[in-house]
Amino acid sequence: MQAFDILYYDGKTSVSHQASLVLERDHWLIQFDQEFEKQTVRWDITQVERDMSFTSLFIFRYGDFPRETLECKDENLLTELKRLYPEKAFFEKKFNALLRQNTTVLVGLTLGLIGILLVSYFYVLPWFSEKAAEQIPVKTEIALGETMFENMISHYQKNDSLTARVNDFVKEIDFKTNYPIKVTVVREDDMNAFALPGGNIIVFDKILGKMKSADELAALLAHEVSHVHYRHSLKNIFRSLSGYLIISLLFNDINGITAILADNSNMLLNLNYSRKLETEADEKAVEILKANGLNLNGLVQLFTLLGSEASKAATIKLLSTHPLTTERIAYAKKVSSQQNAPVKNENIEKKWRAIEAERIK
Amino acid sequence: MEINHSDTRQVSFHGEGSKLFGIYIVNLLLMLFTFGLYYPWAKAAVLRYIYQETEFEGSRFAFHGTGKEMFKGFIKAVGIFLVIYAILILAVWSQNNVILSLGMLTFYAAILLLIPVAIHGALKYRMSRTSWRGIHFGYRGELKEFVQEFVIGGLLTIATLGIYSFWFTVKLRKYIFGHLRFGNIGFAYNGDGTEYFKLHVKGYFLSLITLGVYFFWYVKDLFAFFIDNLEMNQEGNVLKFRSTATAGGYFKLIAGNLLIIIFTLGLAAPWATVRTINFIFSNIVIEGALDTDKIQQTEMDYRDATGEDISDMIDIGLI
Ligand SMILES: [Zn+2]
């Protein structure tokens, strides 16, 4: 019978015994010298358990607590165990089997995992957060938007007189939404406007200053209102939040560094989502403008204005909230050409002239 | 008989990033397919690996916890957190200021109570499942005592706007290490709250003045304050712990880990983990005479520890 070199611990003290192990049909025999006397320990095979191991060391434990322990480095032990006790499962654990695969399998698993993650990130997550966003009651959405607005507006300088004029302008147009629309004009040297959940729209005064017609302003507002109406901001927030949550869950063990990283990459990835929403908002804007008898050329003017500004800027703005593409201008031109030029609405024009007068000041 | 009188000893770590990476990947896959329910088993696998690769005086440590045991704690923790958050959300929903303040109060009170319960449970569980040469660690703290200490300290910390937290931390360490056992070896923590406070004040202001450069000396000092105040006691034989970490070492560790994580988008996190564990163990020296053959098994309440762990949800990061 073959004997294996092992280390044996009796579970009572930390003494490490150099011992030999002999495998019998229904028991193991462990023999070592202690205080110049030969000691023999018998392990009944039914009570032997193997530790789930990730190293080349084989560890077996025996009996009730405090358990005896045996450590063996000899690879032959495993083959011998398989031969002697084919029915005992204690030397194979599923997890280990997965890990012992060669590197190709591991790399394959890794790639597969990354694939699954990417698919869920780009397809499952947007769908899921969209559904979640739809469940939020309008009342809650408005309250949430109001809180965000209060937070945001403190970073800007409000232009009260222009804000009042633009809100007068808003009243003349039916935006076909149940959300209470409230525009706030702020002083900011940037061509932008954005919509918060629940009806707040923030417009930078620079873009207002460059506009040439009532139709152009109406086009901008109709677009932003559409974002509100379709809950785009809410959906975006839900998506960033869930994306952030997932990324931080995945890399749970690596402290704040990844959190920051995750946050930024998340923002980058959101761009794709935004484009789809922009198209949806553009289409709804066209509908609103048509229904109010406004000239769709305003949309063309708006996009051309944004486009010219974008090309003027030396640096490309990667995270622009309104990504402008030639397709969008082309789309505006197409719908505009299909429209018979409508008669100008005098009330709207009057309110527009008030804005024009105010912005010169 | 082998009585080792060599004066200094170290714990060494033999783990490899690639192996840990393999475990992470398998864990991630299984967690994905079980909608996260695999988490306790994943955690057990990582702990088992890390313990198995940790060596002291030629023998490896072992972690005996199982996913099944931890799953019970996991489910409990999820349940408790669901209830606590449900209370908070309902209170916010009500839009009634009285209910809202009551809800907030309940929420914070529950968290304040839950943290010590979680720490206690986690320590008790983790220590009872940790062994070396077949001898188990043990935590003998009393839940009632610990919660009492924690709540009093926590309230004092709030009342003093956080200033008391330094004395509080030291007190907790004293309690925890005072009740930690490794067979017949006891532990003690000798830090002083005032010293800890001074260390933080100095570290904070010098980091500000030097635009963050001093930060590496600051973390080095905090590590040293933790390690240098630790001691082990084997039947009257006192062994001291000493930190050898340097600010330069910390700089290399943190900068390196940052680069590793950023350039691999977090994928190489296991390598960063291995570097960190290596750094910690290689910078702890244990001084004094230890008879590694004379450690007796003393912690017999192995079974009692099961199910005491509501830990984990508030991760307290014990390795
Ligand atoms: Zn838009």
Side-chain angles (χ1 to χ4, degrees):
Chain A
M1 195 84 246
Q2 190 184 356
F4 295 93
D5 287 332
I6 58 158
L7 285 178
Y8 170 75
Y9 304 97
D10 62 9
K12 295 182 190 82
T13 72
S14 56
V15 184
S16 166
H17 300 282
Q18 306 260 356
S20 71
L21 169 72
V22 175
L23 308 175
E24 301 286 357
R25 186 72 203 102
D26 60 342
H27 67 271
W28 292 3
L29 282 180
I30 297 156
Q31 288 176 310
F32 56 94
D33 294 322
Q34 190 176 32
E35 276 152 31
F36 311 108
E37 270 182 62
K38 233 181 175 46
Q39 304 279 335
T40 305
V41 175
R42 191 190 141 109
W43 279 15
D44 196 61
I45 191 73
T46 52
Q47 286 189 65
V48 177
E49 264 178 49
R50 182 175 167 203
D51 268 17
M52 178 165 79
S53 170
F54 299 101
T55 58
S56 55
L57 197 65
F58 304 109
I59 302 167
F60 296 89
R61 311 218 182 243
Y62 181 76
D64 271 337
F65 187 83
R67 305 174 100 182
E68 295 161 51
T69 305
L70 166 173
E71 290 178 8
C72 182
K73 282 183 178 152
D74 196 338
E75 292 271 336
N76 295 325
L77 180 64
L78 203 65
T79 25
E80 202 50 24
L81 284 175
K82 273 184 186 152
R83 193 180 66 76
L84 269 170
Y85 318 104
E87 74 285 2
K88 271 284 263 191
F90 61 46
F91 36 75
E92 269 310 335
K93 289 259 161 94
K94 275 174 205 138
F95 193 96
N96 260 10
L98 257 174
L99 266 183
R100 280 219 208 83
Q101 303 295 333
N102 53 27
T103 23
T104 340
V105 176
L106 207 58
V107 169
L109 279 177
T110 312
L111 291 178
L113 184 68
I114 292 172
I116 292 171
L117 286 178
L118 288 180
V119 166
S120 18
Y121 199 97
F122 286 107
Y123 296 98
V124 182
L125 201 62
W127 179 85
F128 195 76
S129 38
E130 209 163 288
K131 289 282 165 253
E134 277 164 19
Q135 301 306 310
I136 300 286
V138 175
K139 224 174 107 188
T140 316
E141 189 190 358
I142 293 175
L144 177 77
E146 208 48 56
T147 323
M148 288 174 65
F149 177 75
E150 296 300 333
N151 268 324
M152 239 171 202
I153 205 70
S154 61
H155 299 295
Y156 293 113
Q157 211 190 340
K158 208 172 141 189
N159 185 333
D160 288 312
S161 43
L162 262 180
T163 298
R165 297 282 181 282
V166 174
N167 278 308
D168 283 345
F169 182 88
V170 166
K171 285 194 199 96
E172 296 300 326
I173 300 170
D174 175 15
F175 283 105
K176 305 199 163 299
T177 182
N178 292 324
Y179 286 96
I181 301 303
K182 199 182 101 201
V183 178
T184 307
V185 182
V186 298
R187 290 177 221 277
E188 188 69 39
D189 188 25
D190 202 357
M191 300 280 280
N192 214 341
F194 52 92
L196 295 175
N200 269 303
I201 291 167
I202 296 178
V203 178
F204 292 169
D205 63 354
K206 189 180 181 189
I207 193 169
L208 205 57
K210 295 243 162 133
M211 285 185 170
K212 291 189 190 62
S213 71
D215 296 321
E216 199 175 348
L217 177 59
L220 175 75
L221 293 174
H223 173 86
E224 295 305 331
V225 170
S226 306
H227 279 318
V228 173
H229 181 78
Y230 288 128
R231 299 186 144 189
H232 287 166
S233 315
L234 197 66
K235 284 173 188 171
N236 253 336
I237 292 167
F238 264 68
R239 199 201 172 201
S240 330
L241 275 182
S242 48
Y244 176 79
L245 204 73
I246 287 200
I247 291 182
S248 50
L249 268 181
L250 282 182
F251 302 114
N252 187 13
D253 302 60
I254 342 156
N255 57 47
I257 305 156
T258 20
I260 299 161
L261 198 75
D263 205 16
N264 286 325
S265 58
N266 201 37
M267 251 166 53
L268 281 166
L269 294 169
N270 265 338
L271 236 175
N272 199 16
Y273 189 56
S274 296
R275 290 234 160 98
K276 191 190 123 205
L277 297 189
E278 290 307 332
T279 313
E280 200 181 9
D282 287 347
E283 280 161 8
K284 166 93 177 166
V286 168
E287 216 179 282
I288 294 170
L289 295 173
K290 271 187 188 161
N292 281 278
L294 287 154
N295 197 324
L296 287 177
N297 195 40
L299 203 61
V300 184
Q301 283 179 311
L302 174 69
F303 289 162
T304 320
L305 175 64
L306 288 172
S308 69
E309 197 61 27
S311 53
K312 232 190 278 170
T315 50
I316 297 163
K317 242 181 150 192
L318 192 59
L319 294 177
S320 154
T321 42
H322 287 92
L324 245 150
T325 57
T326 39
E327 290 121 75
R328 267 178 100 188
I329 300 182
Y331 169 74
K333 278 188 176 152
K334 196 187 101 200
V335 287
S336 170
S337 67
Q338 287 162 354
Q339 186 194 35
N340 301 321
V343 190
K344 281 190 192 295
N345 176 325
E346 207 27 60
N347 276 337
I348 294 176
E349 291 302 318
K350 216 165 83 193
K351 296 284 153 65
W352 167 249
R353 281 194 293 274
I355 295 170
E356 271 189 312
E358 188 60 45
R359 68 183 188 188
I360 295 166
K361 285 185 196 168
Chain B
M1 280 242 128
E2 116 190 54
I3 298 175
N4 198 338
H5 283 296
S6 96
D7 274 329
T8 64
R9 286 159 224 278
Q10 281 202 289
V11 175
S12 55
F13 185 64
H14 304 270
E16 288 162 36
S18 55
K19 269 197 177 168
L20 197 56
F21 181 75
I23 296 172
Y24 271 59
I25 289 297
V26 175
N27 278 347
L28 272 176
L29 271 173
L30 289 170
M31 268 168 75
L32 219 66
F33 289 123
T34 56
F35 301 102
L37 286 180
Y38 186 74
Y39 177 77
W41 284 269
K43 180 149 188 165
V46 171
L47 285 175
R48 267 174 193 254
Y49 176 70
I50 288 175
Y51 277 55
Q52 271 169 28
E53 296 284 33
T54 307
E55 188 180 301
F56 182 64
E57 295 294 301
S59 297
R60 301 292 174 103
F61 284 85
F63 178 67
H64 303 263
T66 61
K68 205 168 138 194
E69 281 171 354
M70 290 201 243
F71 182 68
K72 288 180 200 156
F74 178 70
I75 290 297
K76 254 196 249 172
V78 170
I80 289 171
F81 273 83
L82 277 181
V83 170
I84 293 178
Y85 274 98
I87 291 172
L88 186 68
I89 287 167
L90 283 177
V92 173
W93 214 273
S94 73
Q95 297 194 327
N96 174 324
N97 279 337
V98 181
I99 297 177
L100 184 64
S101 11
L102 272 176
M104 294 283 256
L105 211 65
T106 322
F107 179 76
Y108 286 115
I111 294 285
L112 189 62
L113 274 175
L114 210 59
I115 296 171
V117 172
I119 295 176
H120 175 87
L123 277 169
K124 208 154 174 142
Y125 178 74
R126 183 72 69 80
M127 287 306 121
S128 75
R129 261 58 174 173
T130 302
S131 80
W132 180 79
R133 294 197 181 172
I135 308 293
H136 283 251
F137 281 74
Y139 176 67
R140 294 180 174 184
E142 289 286 333
L143 179 62
K144 228 171 126 186
E145 255 175 42
F146 190 66
V147 170
Q148 222 165 22
E149 249 193 66
F150 197 93
V151 170
I152 292 170
L155 291 177
L156 271 174
T157 300
I158 296 168
T160 57
L161 303 171
I163 294 171
Y164 184 71
S165 68
F166 306 103
W167 285 268
F168 183 33
T169 309
V170 169
K171 247 187 141 172
L172 288 183
R173 285 183 189 172
K174 281 191 173 181
Y175 187 88
I176 290 170
F177 282 104
H179 291 86
L180 198 64
R181 307 278 303 184
F182 173 46
N184 58 346
I185 291 180
F187 292 81
Y189 188 73
N190 303 317
D192 174 60
T194 313
E195 218 178 293
Y196 191 51
F197 173 67
K198 281 187 200 153
L199 210 61
H200 270 289
V201 172
K202 182 177 142 202
Y204 179 75
F205 284 108
L206 281 179
S207 294
L208 270 187
I209 292 167
T210 59
L211 302 172
V213 174
Y214 189 76
F215 172 76
F216 300 102
W217 278 266
Y218 184 16
V219 281
K220 176 213 100 181
D221 284 349
L222 290 183
F223 183 71
F225 184 80
F226 183 66
I227 300 302
D228 292 351
N229 283 313
L230 262 182
E231 62 178 46
M232 237 165 34
N233 187 322
Q234 186 185 30
E235 327 237 281
N237 237 342
V238 175
L239 289 104
K240 295 259 182 207
F241 286 71
R242 193 164 52 79
S243 156
T244 59
T246 59
Y250 254 109
F251 172 74
K252 261 197 246 161
L253 174 76
I254 295 171
N257 281 359
L258 255 170
L259 291 178
I260 287 174
I261 288 167
I262 288 173
F263 282 111
T264 61
L265 295 172
L267 221 59
W271 280 270
T273 306
V274 166
R275 287 188 74 216
T276 307
I277 299 174
N278 261 327
F279 177 80
I280 291 173
F281 285 144
S282 65
N283 281 304
I284 301 174
V285 174
I286 305 167
E287 292 173 332
L290 174 74
D291 189 343
T292 50
D293 280 356
K294 281 259 174 73
I295 307 169
Q296 311 275 336
Q297 189 84 274
T298 56
E299 305 309 296
M300 295 303 184
D301 58 347
Y302 183 78
R303 264 164 238 290
D304 299 349
T306 326
E308 279 216 52
D309 56 324
I310 309 165
S311 61
D312 241 30
M313 277 297 201
I314 323 165
D315 203 340
I316 34 177
L318 301 155
I319 285 192

